[in-house]
Short mmCIF file of all heavy atoms in Angstrom, two decimals:
data_model
loop_
_atom_site.label_atom_id
_atom_site.label_comp_id
_atom_site.label_asym_id
_atom_site.label_seq_id
_atom_site.Cartn_x
_atom_site.Cartn_y
_atom_site.Cartn_z
N MET A 232 13.79 57.96 -0.13
CA MET A 232 15.06 58.11 -0.82
C MET A 232 14.99 59.10 -1.89
O MET A 232 14.18 59.07 -2.77
CB MET A 232 15.56 56.76 -1.28
CG MET A 232 16.95 56.78 -1.78
SD MET A 232 17.59 55.11 -2.28
CE MET A 232 19.24 55.51 -2.65
N CYS A 233 15.92 60.17 -1.80
CA CYS A 233 15.68 61.23 -2.75
C CYS A 233 16.33 60.81 -4.09
O CYS A 233 17.30 59.98 -4.13
CB CYS A 233 16.43 62.48 -2.26
SG CYS A 233 15.49 63.34 -1.01
N ILE A 234 15.81 61.47 -5.03
CA ILE A 234 16.36 61.26 -6.47
C ILE A 234 17.79 61.93 -6.54
O ILE A 234 18.00 62.96 -6.07
CB ILE A 234 15.41 61.90 -7.46
CG1 ILE A 234 14.08 61.16 -7.54
CG2 ILE A 234 16.07 61.81 -8.85
CD1 ILE A 234 13.00 61.77 -8.33
N ARG A 235 18.68 61.10 -7.19
CA ARG A 235 20.02 61.67 -7.38
C ARG A 235 20.20 61.84 -8.87
O ARG A 235 19.48 61.37 -9.70
CB ARG A 235 21.00 60.72 -6.79
CG ARG A 235 20.98 60.62 -5.26
CD ARG A 235 22.06 59.58 -4.83
NE ARG A 235 21.84 58.31 -5.39
CZ ARG A 235 22.83 57.37 -5.58
NH1 ARG A 235 23.91 57.64 -5.08
NH2 ARG A 235 22.49 56.15 -6.12
N ILE A 236 21.19 62.68 -9.20
CA ILE A 236 21.56 62.90 -10.69
C ILE A 236 23.04 62.63 -10.76
O ILE A 236 23.90 63.01 -9.95
CB ILE A 236 21.28 64.36 -10.90
CG1 ILE A 236 19.71 64.55 -10.89
CG2 ILE A 236 21.75 64.66 -12.43
CD1 ILE A 236 19.30 66.01 -11.09
N ALA A 237 23.38 61.83 -11.82
CA ALA A 237 24.76 61.54 -12.09
C ALA A 237 25.06 61.84 -13.61
O ALA A 237 24.26 61.54 -14.54
CB ALA A 237 24.94 60.02 -11.83
N ALA A 238 26.14 62.43 -13.86
CA ALA A 238 26.63 62.57 -15.19
C ALA A 238 27.41 61.46 -15.76
O ALA A 238 28.29 61.04 -14.98
CB ALA A 238 27.45 63.94 -15.22
N VAL A 239 27.05 61.08 -16.84
CA VAL A 239 27.78 59.85 -17.47
C VAL A 239 28.07 60.21 -18.93
O VAL A 239 27.49 61.15 -19.58
CB VAL A 239 26.93 58.59 -17.40
CG1 VAL A 239 26.68 58.18 -15.91
CG2 VAL A 239 25.62 58.76 -18.11
N ASP A 240 28.99 59.48 -19.46
CA ASP A 240 29.43 59.70 -20.87
C ASP A 240 28.60 58.78 -21.81
O ASP A 240 28.02 57.78 -21.38
CB ASP A 240 30.87 59.32 -21.15
CG ASP A 240 31.83 60.36 -20.33
OD1 ASP A 240 31.55 61.57 -20.48
OD2 ASP A 240 32.75 59.89 -19.66
N ASP A 241 28.48 59.24 -23.04
CA ASP A 241 27.91 58.28 -24.07
C ASP A 241 26.45 57.98 -23.75
O ASP A 241 26.11 56.82 -23.96
CB ASP A 241 28.76 57.12 -24.29
CG ASP A 241 30.10 57.42 -24.70
OD1 ASP A 241 30.29 58.37 -25.41
OD2 ASP A 241 31.06 56.67 -24.35
N LEU A 242 25.70 58.88 -23.29
CA LEU A 242 24.18 58.58 -23.15
C LEU A 242 23.48 58.94 -24.45
O LEU A 242 23.77 59.88 -25.06
CB LEU A 242 23.69 59.45 -22.05
CG LEU A 242 22.53 58.87 -21.13
CD1 LEU A 242 23.00 57.76 -20.36
CD2 LEU A 242 22.03 59.98 -20.20
N PRO A 243 22.55 58.06 -24.84
CA PRO A 243 21.89 58.29 -26.13
C PRO A 243 20.90 59.53 -26.07
O PRO A 243 20.35 59.97 -27.06
CB PRO A 243 21.13 57.03 -26.32
CG PRO A 243 20.95 56.38 -25.11
CD PRO A 243 22.21 56.77 -24.21
N LYS A 244 20.47 59.85 -24.79
CA LYS A 244 19.56 60.94 -24.65
C LYS A 244 20.14 61.95 -23.65
O LYS A 244 21.16 61.65 -22.96
CB LYS A 244 18.23 60.51 -24.11
CG LYS A 244 17.50 59.55 -25.09
CD LYS A 244 16.25 58.82 -24.37
CE LYS A 244 15.27 59.85 -23.88
NZ LYS A 244 14.07 59.14 -23.26
N ILE A 245 19.44 63.05 -23.42
CA ILE A 245 19.89 64.04 -22.46
C ILE A 245 19.88 63.49 -21.09
O ILE A 245 20.83 63.76 -20.30
CB ILE A 245 19.09 65.36 -22.58
CG1 ILE A 245 19.33 66.11 -23.94
CG2 ILE A 245 19.35 66.29 -21.42
CD1 ILE A 245 18.49 67.32 -24.12
N ALA A 246 18.77 62.79 -20.81
CA ALA A 246 18.56 62.31 -19.39
C ALA A 246 17.86 61.03 -19.42
O ALA A 246 16.91 60.84 -20.22
CB ALA A 246 17.91 63.31 -18.65
N ILE A 247 18.20 59.99 -18.64
CA ILE A 247 17.60 58.73 -18.60
C ILE A 247 17.34 58.41 -17.10
O ILE A 247 18.20 58.50 -16.28
CB ILE A 247 18.33 57.67 -19.32
CG1 ILE A 247 18.44 57.89 -20.78
CG2 ILE A 247 17.75 56.29 -19.01
CD1 ILE A 247 19.26 56.90 -21.58
N TRP A 248 16.18 57.94 -16.80
CA TRP A 248 15.83 57.56 -15.39
C TRP A 248 16.36 56.13 -15.16
O TRP A 248 15.95 55.22 -15.91
CB TRP A 248 14.27 57.58 -15.16
CG TRP A 248 13.80 56.90 -13.94
CD1 TRP A 248 12.93 55.92 -13.83
CD2 TRP A 248 14.19 57.28 -12.46
NE1 TRP A 248 12.72 55.60 -12.57
CE2 TRP A 248 13.43 56.42 -11.74
CE3 TRP A 248 15.04 58.24 -11.98
CZ2 TRP A 248 13.57 56.43 -10.33
CZ3 TRP A 248 15.09 58.25 -10.56
CH2 TRP A 248 14.39 57.32 -9.76
N ASP A 249 17.11 55.91 -14.07
CA ASP A 249 17.57 54.58 -13.75
C ASP A 249 16.90 54.20 -12.40
O ASP A 249 17.37 54.57 -11.30
CB ASP A 249 19.07 54.62 -13.60
CG ASP A 249 19.63 53.29 -13.34
OD1 ASP A 249 18.87 52.28 -13.00
OD2 ASP A 249 20.86 53.05 -13.38
N PRO A 250 15.83 53.39 -12.49
CA PRO A 250 15.11 53.09 -11.33
C PRO A 250 15.99 52.18 -10.35
O PRO A 250 15.65 52.26 -9.15
CB PRO A 250 13.87 52.27 -11.79
CG PRO A 250 14.28 51.81 -13.20
CD PRO A 250 15.20 52.83 -13.70
N ASP A 251 16.90 51.43 -10.79
CA ASP A 251 17.68 50.54 -9.85
C ASP A 251 18.58 51.40 -8.99
O ASP A 251 18.80 51.07 -7.82
CB ASP A 251 18.58 49.59 -10.73
CG ASP A 251 17.71 48.61 -11.47
OD1 ASP A 251 16.59 48.32 -11.06
OD2 ASP A 251 18.15 48.15 -12.58
N GLU A 252 19.00 52.48 -9.47
CA GLU A 252 19.92 53.41 -8.69
C GLU A 252 19.19 54.60 -8.15
O GLU A 252 19.88 55.39 -7.45
CB GLU A 252 21.08 53.82 -9.60
CG GLU A 252 21.87 52.61 -10.21
CD GLU A 252 22.74 51.95 -9.11
OE1 GLU A 252 22.94 52.54 -8.04
OE2 GLU A 252 23.03 50.80 -9.30
N VAL A 253 17.95 54.69 -8.34
CA VAL A 253 17.14 55.86 -8.02
C VAL A 253 17.97 57.20 -8.43
O VAL A 253 18.12 58.12 -7.74
CB VAL A 253 16.87 55.96 -6.55
CG1 VAL A 253 15.78 56.91 -6.15
CG2 VAL A 253 16.54 54.64 -5.93
N THR A 254 18.38 57.10 -9.66
CA THR A 254 19.20 58.19 -10.19
C THR A 254 18.82 58.58 -11.62
O THR A 254 18.43 57.61 -12.38
CB THR A 254 20.64 57.70 -10.23
OG1 THR A 254 21.17 57.32 -8.94
CG2 THR A 254 21.59 58.77 -10.85
N ILE A 255 18.84 59.84 -11.91
CA ILE A 255 18.62 60.27 -13.26
C ILE A 255 19.96 60.45 -13.87
O ILE A 255 20.78 61.32 -13.41
CB ILE A 255 17.79 61.57 -13.34
CG1 ILE A 255 16.46 61.32 -12.77
CG2 ILE A 255 17.67 62.02 -14.80
CD1 ILE A 255 15.59 62.70 -12.66
N LEU A 256 20.26 59.61 -14.87
CA LEU A 256 21.59 59.80 -15.56
C LEU A 256 21.53 60.85 -16.58
O LEU A 256 20.53 61.00 -17.39
CB LEU A 256 21.95 58.45 -16.28
CG LEU A 256 22.02 57.23 -15.37
CD1 LEU A 256 22.27 55.95 -16.23
CD2 LEU A 256 23.07 57.34 -14.39
N VAL A 257 22.41 61.73 -16.58
CA VAL A 257 22.48 62.93 -17.57
C VAL A 257 23.70 62.75 -18.48
O VAL A 257 24.71 62.31 -17.97
CB VAL A 257 22.33 64.19 -16.96
CG1 VAL A 257 21.05 64.37 -16.19
CG2 VAL A 257 23.51 64.51 -16.02
N SER A 258 23.58 63.23 -19.59
CA SER A 258 24.73 63.15 -20.57
C SER A 258 25.73 64.29 -20.25
O SER A 258 25.43 65.38 -20.20
CB SER A 258 24.23 63.24 -21.96
OG SER A 258 25.32 63.13 -22.94
N ARG A 259 26.90 63.83 -19.98
CA ARG A 259 28.00 64.90 -19.57
C ARG A 259 28.22 65.77 -20.78
O ARG A 259 28.35 65.32 -21.97
CB ARG A 259 29.26 64.12 -19.30
CG ARG A 259 30.28 64.92 -18.41
CD ARG A 259 31.60 64.20 -18.39
NE ARG A 259 31.44 62.82 -17.97
CZ ARG A 259 31.45 62.51 -16.63
NH1 ARG A 259 31.52 63.32 -15.71
NH2 ARG A 259 31.38 61.18 -16.37
N GLY A 260 28.24 67.04 -20.49
CA GLY A 260 28.55 68.02 -21.53
C GLY A 260 27.33 68.59 -22.21
O GLY A 260 27.37 69.51 -23.09
N THR A 261 26.13 68.16 -21.80
CA THR A 261 24.81 68.75 -22.30
C THR A 261 24.78 70.23 -21.98
O THR A 261 25.14 70.53 -20.90
CB THR A 261 23.67 67.99 -21.75
OG1 THR A 261 23.69 66.58 -22.14
CG2 THR A 261 22.37 68.64 -22.37
N HIS A 262 24.26 71.01 -22.85
CA HIS A 262 24.15 72.48 -22.64
C HIS A 262 23.25 72.64 -21.35
O HIS A 262 22.21 71.93 -21.22
CB HIS A 262 23.56 73.19 -23.79
CG HIS A 262 23.58 74.69 -23.65
ND1 HIS A 262 22.63 75.40 -22.92
CD2 HIS A 262 24.44 75.64 -24.16
CE1 HIS A 262 22.99 76.67 -22.92
NE2 HIS A 262 24.10 76.76 -23.55
N SER A 263 23.71 73.44 -20.45
CA SER A 263 22.99 73.60 -19.13
C SER A 263 21.50 73.91 -19.26
O SER A 263 20.73 73.33 -18.54
CB SER A 263 23.62 74.63 -18.44
OG SER A 263 23.75 75.88 -19.05
N HIS A 264 21.15 74.71 -20.21
CA HIS A 264 19.66 75.04 -20.30
C HIS A 264 18.92 73.86 -20.81
O HIS A 264 17.84 73.57 -20.31
CB HIS A 264 19.52 76.22 -21.28
CG HIS A 264 19.99 77.51 -20.75
ND1 HIS A 264 20.27 78.65 -21.56
CD2 HIS A 264 20.41 77.82 -19.51
CE1 HIS A 264 20.67 79.61 -20.78
NE2 HIS A 264 20.82 79.24 -19.51
N ASP A 265 19.46 73.10 -21.65
CA ASP A 265 18.77 71.95 -22.08
C ASP A 265 18.69 70.85 -21.04
O ASP A 265 17.61 70.16 -20.88
CB ASP A 265 19.51 71.24 -23.27
CG ASP A 265 19.45 72.11 -24.52
OD1 ASP A 265 18.59 72.98 -24.62
OD2 ASP A 265 20.36 72.00 -25.38
N LEU A 266 19.76 70.68 -20.21
CA LEU A 266 19.73 69.75 -19.10
C LEU A 266 18.74 70.11 -18.03
O LEU A 266 18.00 69.24 -17.65
CB LEU A 266 21.23 69.76 -18.61
CG LEU A 266 21.46 68.67 -17.55
CD1 LEU A 266 21.21 67.24 -18.14
CD2 LEU A 266 22.88 68.78 -17.11
N ILE A 267 18.72 71.41 -17.66
CA ILE A 267 17.82 71.84 -16.65
C ILE A 267 16.34 71.65 -17.07
O ILE A 267 15.55 71.13 -16.34
CB ILE A 267 18.09 73.25 -16.33
CG1 ILE A 267 19.37 73.55 -15.65
CG2 ILE A 267 16.92 73.85 -15.34
CD1 ILE A 267 19.51 73.01 -14.17
N ARG A 268 16.09 72.00 -18.36
CA ARG A 268 14.70 71.92 -18.89
C ARG A 268 14.32 70.41 -18.90
O ARG A 268 13.20 70.02 -18.48
CB ARG A 268 14.62 72.41 -20.20
CG ARG A 268 13.22 72.50 -20.80
CD ARG A 268 13.22 73.43 -22.03
NE ARG A 268 14.16 72.90 -23.08
CZ ARG A 268 14.93 73.69 -23.74
NH1 ARG A 268 14.86 75.06 -23.60
NH2 ARG A 268 15.76 73.19 -24.64
N GLU A 269 15.28 69.41 -19.34
CA GLU A 269 14.83 68.09 -19.41
C GLU A 269 14.68 67.42 -17.93
O GLU A 269 13.71 66.75 -17.67
CB GLU A 269 16.02 67.27 -20.08
CG GLU A 269 15.83 65.81 -20.31
CD GLU A 269 14.78 65.61 -21.50
OE1 GLU A 269 14.50 66.57 -22.28
OE2 GLU A 269 14.22 64.47 -21.58
N LEU A 270 15.53 67.84 -17.02
CA LEU A 270 15.49 67.35 -15.67
C LEU A 270 14.11 67.83 -15.01
O LEU A 270 13.45 67.10 -14.25
CB LEU A 270 16.70 67.72 -14.93
CG LEU A 270 18.02 66.96 -15.15
CD1 LEU A 270 19.16 67.60 -14.46
CD2 LEU A 270 17.85 65.50 -14.84
N HIS A 271 13.84 69.14 -15.23
CA HIS A 271 12.64 69.72 -14.62
C HIS A 271 11.43 69.01 -15.15
O HIS A 271 10.57 68.70 -14.34
CB HIS A 271 12.60 71.21 -15.06
CG HIS A 271 11.50 71.94 -14.34
ND1 HIS A 271 10.35 72.23 -15.08
CD2 HIS A 271 11.38 72.41 -13.13
CE1 HIS A 271 9.51 72.85 -14.17
NE2 HIS A 271 10.12 73.00 -13.02
N ALA A 272 11.41 68.73 -16.44
CA ALA A 272 10.26 67.95 -16.94
C ALA A 272 10.15 66.61 -16.38
O ALA A 272 9.07 66.09 -16.03
CB ALA A 272 10.42 67.91 -18.47
N ILE A 273 11.18 65.85 -16.24
CA ILE A 273 11.22 64.50 -15.75
C ILE A 273 10.76 64.52 -14.25
O ILE A 273 9.85 63.79 -13.84
CB ILE A 273 12.67 63.82 -15.74
CG1 ILE A 273 12.91 63.56 -17.23
CG2 ILE A 273 12.60 62.60 -14.93
CD1 ILE A 273 14.38 62.97 -17.47
N LEU A 274 11.26 65.46 -13.49
CA LEU A 274 11.01 65.52 -12.08
C LEU A 274 9.50 65.98 -11.77
O LEU A 274 8.85 65.36 -10.97
CB LEU A 274 11.89 66.52 -11.38
CG LEU A 274 13.29 66.04 -11.13
CD1 LEU A 274 14.22 67.21 -10.86
CD2 LEU A 274 13.42 64.94 -10.18
N THR A 275 9.03 66.83 -12.55
CA THR A 275 7.61 67.36 -12.33
C THR A 275 6.61 66.48 -12.97
O THR A 275 5.58 66.19 -12.37
CB THR A 275 7.53 68.84 -12.81
OG1 THR A 275 7.80 68.84 -14.14
CG2 THR A 275 8.36 69.83 -12.00
N ILE A 276 6.89 65.99 -14.21
CA ILE A 276 5.86 65.19 -14.88
C ILE A 276 5.89 63.73 -14.44
O ILE A 276 4.84 63.20 -14.06
CB ILE A 276 6.10 65.29 -16.40
CG1 ILE A 276 5.86 66.71 -16.85
CG2 ILE A 276 5.17 64.28 -17.10
CD1 ILE A 276 6.35 67.00 -18.36
N ASP A 277 7.12 63.10 -14.32
CA ASP A 277 7.21 61.71 -14.01
C ASP A 277 7.07 61.41 -12.51
O ASP A 277 6.63 60.38 -12.08
CB ASP A 277 8.48 61.11 -14.63
CG ASP A 277 8.49 61.09 -16.14
OD1 ASP A 277 7.49 61.30 -16.72
OD2 ASP A 277 9.61 60.93 -16.61
N PHE A 278 7.61 62.41 -11.76
CA PHE A 278 7.64 62.09 -10.30
C PHE A 278 6.81 63.07 -9.49
O PHE A 278 6.67 62.88 -8.25
CB PHE A 278 9.11 62.21 -9.86
CG PHE A 278 9.98 61.18 -10.47
CD1 PHE A 278 10.82 61.61 -11.45
CD2 PHE A 278 9.97 59.98 -10.02
CE1 PHE A 278 11.66 60.62 -12.04
CE2 PHE A 278 10.82 58.92 -10.56
CZ PHE A 278 11.71 59.31 -11.65
N GLY A 279 6.14 63.96 -10.14
CA GLY A 279 5.19 64.80 -9.39
C GLY A 279 5.92 65.78 -8.49
O GLY A 279 5.35 66.18 -7.39
N ALA A 280 7.07 66.11 -8.70
CA ALA A 280 7.88 67.13 -7.96
C ALA A 280 7.16 68.44 -8.01
O ALA A 280 6.63 68.78 -9.02
CB ALA A 280 9.25 67.21 -8.32
N PRO A 281 7.19 69.19 -6.92
CA PRO A 281 6.55 70.55 -6.93
C PRO A 281 7.28 71.46 -7.89
O PRO A 281 8.46 71.52 -7.96
CB PRO A 281 6.74 71.06 -5.45
CG PRO A 281 7.74 70.20 -4.89
CD PRO A 281 7.77 68.88 -5.58
N ASP A 282 6.41 72.18 -8.73
CA ASP A 282 6.97 73.05 -9.60
C ASP A 282 6.94 74.48 -9.10
O ASP A 282 6.00 75.21 -9.18
CB ASP A 282 6.18 72.98 -10.95
CG ASP A 282 6.87 73.81 -12.05
OD1 ASP A 282 7.82 74.37 -11.83
OD2 ASP A 282 6.16 73.78 -13.16
N ILE A 283 7.99 74.80 -8.35
CA ILE A 283 8.23 76.08 -7.65
C ILE A 283 8.94 77.04 -8.52
O ILE A 283 10.21 76.79 -8.63
CB ILE A 283 8.69 76.01 -6.30
CG1 ILE A 283 7.97 74.84 -5.56
CG2 ILE A 283 8.77 77.29 -5.49
CD1 ILE A 283 8.62 74.38 -4.28
N PRO A 284 8.47 78.09 -9.05
CA PRO A 284 9.26 79.04 -9.89
C PRO A 284 10.37 79.58 -9.08
O PRO A 284 10.19 80.11 -7.90
CB PRO A 284 8.27 80.18 -10.23
CG PRO A 284 6.93 79.49 -10.15
CD PRO A 284 7.04 78.48 -9.04
N GLY A 285 11.63 79.57 -9.58
CA GLY A 285 12.80 80.15 -8.88
C GLY A 285 13.39 79.20 -7.85
O GLY A 285 14.44 79.48 -7.34
N ALA A 286 12.79 78.03 -7.57
CA ALA A 286 13.35 77.08 -6.57
C ALA A 286 14.31 76.12 -7.20
O ALA A 286 14.93 75.34 -6.58
CB ALA A 286 12.18 76.40 -6.00
N GLY A 287 14.43 76.12 -8.49
CA GLY A 287 15.45 75.21 -9.16
C GLY A 287 14.79 73.82 -9.18
O GLY A 287 13.59 73.72 -9.17
N LEU A 288 15.64 72.90 -9.26
CA LEU A 288 15.14 71.44 -9.35
C LEU A 288 14.84 70.94 -8.00
O LEU A 288 15.61 71.10 -7.09
CB LEU A 288 16.15 70.54 -10.08
CG LEU A 288 16.58 70.96 -11.47
CD1 LEU A 288 17.77 70.28 -11.94
CD2 LEU A 288 15.38 70.79 -12.38
N THR A 289 13.69 70.16 -7.88
CA THR A 289 13.39 69.69 -6.60
C THR A 289 12.99 68.23 -6.71
O THR A 289 12.45 67.79 -7.75
CB THR A 289 12.21 70.42 -5.98
OG1 THR A 289 11.10 70.39 -6.92
CG2 THR A 289 12.52 71.73 -5.49
N CYS A 290 13.22 67.41 -5.72
CA CYS A 290 12.77 66.05 -5.62
C CYS A 290 11.34 66.05 -5.48
O CYS A 290 10.67 67.05 -5.10
CB CYS A 290 13.56 65.40 -4.45
SG CYS A 290 13.08 63.72 -4.08
N PHE A 291 10.73 64.78 -5.52
CA PHE A 291 9.27 64.67 -5.28
C PHE A 291 8.90 65.05 -3.92
O PHE A 291 7.71 65.40 -3.62
CB PHE A 291 8.76 63.31 -5.69
CG PHE A 291 9.50 62.19 -5.12
CD1 PHE A 291 9.36 61.83 -3.78
CD2 PHE A 291 10.40 61.44 -5.89
CE1 PHE A 291 10.11 60.82 -3.24
CE2 PHE A 291 11.13 60.43 -5.28
CZ PHE A 291 10.97 60.08 -3.98
N CYS A 292 9.80 65.00 -2.94
CA CYS A 292 9.51 65.23 -1.57
C CYS A 292 9.75 66.76 -1.28
O CYS A 292 9.44 67.19 -0.15
CB CYS A 292 10.48 64.45 -0.65
SG CYS A 292 12.16 64.92 -0.77
N GLY A 293 10.23 67.50 -2.31
CA GLY A 293 10.39 68.98 -2.01
C GLY A 293 11.76 69.37 -1.71
O GLY A 293 12.01 70.57 -1.70
N GLU A 294 12.65 68.38 -1.45
CA GLU A 294 14.10 68.75 -1.20
C GLU A 294 14.75 69.17 -2.52
O GLU A 294 14.41 68.69 -3.59
CB GLU A 294 14.79 67.47 -0.57
CG GLU A 294 14.44 67.22 0.77
CD GLU A 294 14.94 68.22 1.74
OE1 GLU A 294 16.14 68.62 1.64
OE2 GLU A 294 14.18 68.66 2.67
N PRO A 295 15.75 70.08 -2.43
CA PRO A 295 16.47 70.46 -3.60
C PRO A 295 17.25 69.27 -4.18
O PRO A 295 17.72 68.46 -3.46
CB PRO A 295 17.42 71.49 -3.17
CG PRO A 295 17.00 71.93 -1.85
CD PRO A 295 16.17 70.77 -1.23
N VAL A 296 17.29 69.15 -5.43
CA VAL A 296 18.08 68.02 -6.11
C VAL A 296 19.43 68.66 -6.44
O VAL A 296 19.55 69.65 -7.10
CB VAL A 296 17.41 67.54 -7.41
CG1 VAL A 296 18.30 66.54 -8.21
CG2 VAL A 296 16.06 66.79 -7.04
N CYS A 297 20.49 67.94 -6.00
CA CYS A 297 21.88 68.41 -6.26
C CYS A 297 22.30 67.89 -7.60
O CYS A 297 22.19 66.76 -7.91
CB CYS A 297 22.78 67.95 -5.21
SG CYS A 297 22.44 68.66 -3.58
N LEU A 298 22.85 68.78 -8.45
CA LEU A 298 23.42 68.30 -9.70
C LEU A 298 24.82 67.92 -9.50
O LEU A 298 25.51 68.44 -8.59
CB LEU A 298 23.44 69.52 -10.64
CG LEU A 298 21.97 69.94 -11.07
CD1 LEU A 298 21.93 71.23 -11.63
CD2 LEU A 298 21.39 68.99 -12.04
N PRO A 299 25.27 66.89 -10.24
CA PRO A 299 26.72 66.45 -10.08
C PRO A 299 27.66 67.52 -10.49
O PRO A 299 27.45 68.28 -11.44
CB PRO A 299 26.73 65.26 -11.12
CG PRO A 299 25.68 65.49 -12.05
CD PRO A 299 24.59 66.27 -11.38
N PRO A 300 28.81 67.58 -9.85
CA PRO A 300 29.80 68.66 -10.17
C PRO A 300 30.31 68.50 -11.53
O PRO A 300 30.82 69.51 -12.12
CB PRO A 300 30.87 68.44 -9.15
CG PRO A 300 30.66 67.10 -8.62
CD PRO A 300 29.23 66.76 -8.80
N GLN A 301 30.17 67.35 -12.16
CA GLN A 301 30.73 67.14 -13.57
C GLN A 301 29.89 67.85 -14.56
O GLN A 301 30.36 68.09 -15.68
CB GLN A 301 30.83 65.64 -13.89
CG GLN A 301 31.70 64.86 -13.04
CD GLN A 301 30.97 64.15 -11.87
OE1 GLN A 301 30.02 64.76 -11.38
NE2 GLN A 301 31.41 63.02 -11.48
N ALA A 302 28.62 68.05 -14.22
CA ALA A 302 27.78 68.66 -15.21
C ALA A 302 27.93 70.19 -15.16
O ALA A 302 27.89 70.79 -14.14
CB ALA A 302 26.25 68.29 -14.92
N PRO A 303 28.14 70.76 -16.29
CA PRO A 303 28.41 72.22 -16.34
C PRO A 303 27.08 73.04 -16.35
O PRO A 303 26.66 73.76 -17.21
CB PRO A 303 29.05 72.42 -17.68
CG PRO A 303 28.55 71.38 -18.50
CD PRO A 303 28.21 70.10 -17.60
N VAL A 304 26.42 72.84 -15.17
CA VAL A 304 25.07 73.52 -15.05
C VAL A 304 24.98 74.52 -13.86
O VAL A 304 23.94 74.97 -13.55
CB VAL A 304 24.01 72.49 -14.85
CG1 VAL A 304 23.83 71.61 -16.16
CG2 VAL A 304 24.25 71.57 -13.73
N GLN A 305 26.06 74.75 -13.27
CA GLN A 305 25.97 75.66 -12.08
C GLN A 305 25.48 76.99 -12.38
O GLN A 305 24.88 77.67 -11.55
CB GLN A 305 27.39 75.62 -11.36
CG GLN A 305 27.93 74.37 -11.03
CD GLN A 305 27.12 73.59 -10.04
OE1 GLN A 305 26.40 74.16 -9.27
NE2 GLN A 305 27.15 72.29 -10.09
N ASP A 306 25.65 77.48 -13.64
CA ASP A 306 25.32 78.84 -13.93
C ASP A 306 23.81 78.88 -14.32
O ASP A 306 23.30 79.95 -14.56
CB ASP A 306 26.19 79.37 -15.10
CG ASP A 306 26.03 78.47 -16.32
OD1 ASP A 306 25.68 77.27 -16.24
OD2 ASP A 306 26.15 79.00 -17.50
N ALA A 307 23.19 77.73 -14.36
CA ALA A 307 21.74 77.74 -14.80
C ALA A 307 20.80 77.32 -13.71
O ALA A 307 19.60 77.15 -13.89
CB ALA A 307 21.60 76.75 -15.92
N LEU A 308 21.26 77.40 -12.43
CA LEU A 308 20.41 76.95 -11.33
C LEU A 308 19.35 78.02 -11.08
O LEU A 308 18.38 77.77 -10.40
CB LEU A 308 21.17 76.64 -10.10
CG LEU A 308 22.04 75.38 -10.19
CD1 LEU A 308 22.94 75.15 -9.03
CD2 LEU A 308 21.03 74.20 -10.22
N GLU A 309 19.61 79.26 -11.44
CA GLU A 309 18.70 80.36 -11.20
C GLU A 309 17.55 80.24 -12.29
O GLU A 309 17.71 80.89 -13.35
CB GLU A 309 19.33 81.68 -11.13
CG GLU A 309 20.55 81.68 -10.41
CD GLU A 309 20.34 82.02 -8.98
OE1 GLU A 309 19.32 82.75 -8.70
OE2 GLU A 309 21.07 81.59 -8.09
N LEU A 310 16.57 79.46 -12.02
CA LEU A 310 15.54 79.32 -13.10
C LEU A 310 14.63 80.50 -13.19
O LEU A 310 14.24 81.10 -12.07
CB LEU A 310 14.65 78.01 -12.87
CG LEU A 310 15.44 76.74 -13.11
CD1 LEU A 310 14.46 75.60 -12.74
CD2 LEU A 310 15.97 76.61 -14.41
ZN1 ZN B 405 13.40 63.51 -1.92
#
């Protein structure tokens, strides 16, 4: 099951892993660069996702991780 990402309000951190939902919760409205950096760190360090320059965010299985449309990060996908 691939990791999903969901934008939520009122998160105390930029991103929090929710193992019950297999989802990384991200704080809605976080600056895109900060969000991408945080998610990239979680995915590669905590889950062993492949760190492929230019490939954006990937799941531990190598599939691209889709960002929620609510998160204003579309302009930052080109790492
Ligand atoms: Zn996956």
Side-chain angles (χ1 to χ4, degrees):
M232 187 173 184
C233 282
I234 294 170
R235 294 178 300 159
I236 296 172
V239 296
D240 293 315
D241 301 324
L242 211 63
K244 295 170 60 180
I245 292 176
I247 293 178
W248 167 240
D249 182 348
D251 294 333
E252 300 290 338
V253 198
T254 297
I255 299 173
L256 303 175
V257 299
S258 183
R259 198 191 310 275
T261 302
H262 190 280
S263 54
H264 291 167
D265 295 335
L266 189 57
I267 293 287
R268 189 168 54 223
E269 186 74 14
L270 287 172
H271 185 260
I273 291 174
L274 289 166
T275 56
I276 296 170
D277 293 347
F278 297 103
D282 188 0
I283 307 167
L288 299 170
T289 52
C290 179
F291 50 76
C292 68
E294 288 290 315
V296 170
C297 294
L298 293 162
Q301 297 95 327
V304 293
Q305 302 303 331
D306 62 332
L308 285 173
E309 313 273 331
L310 290 180

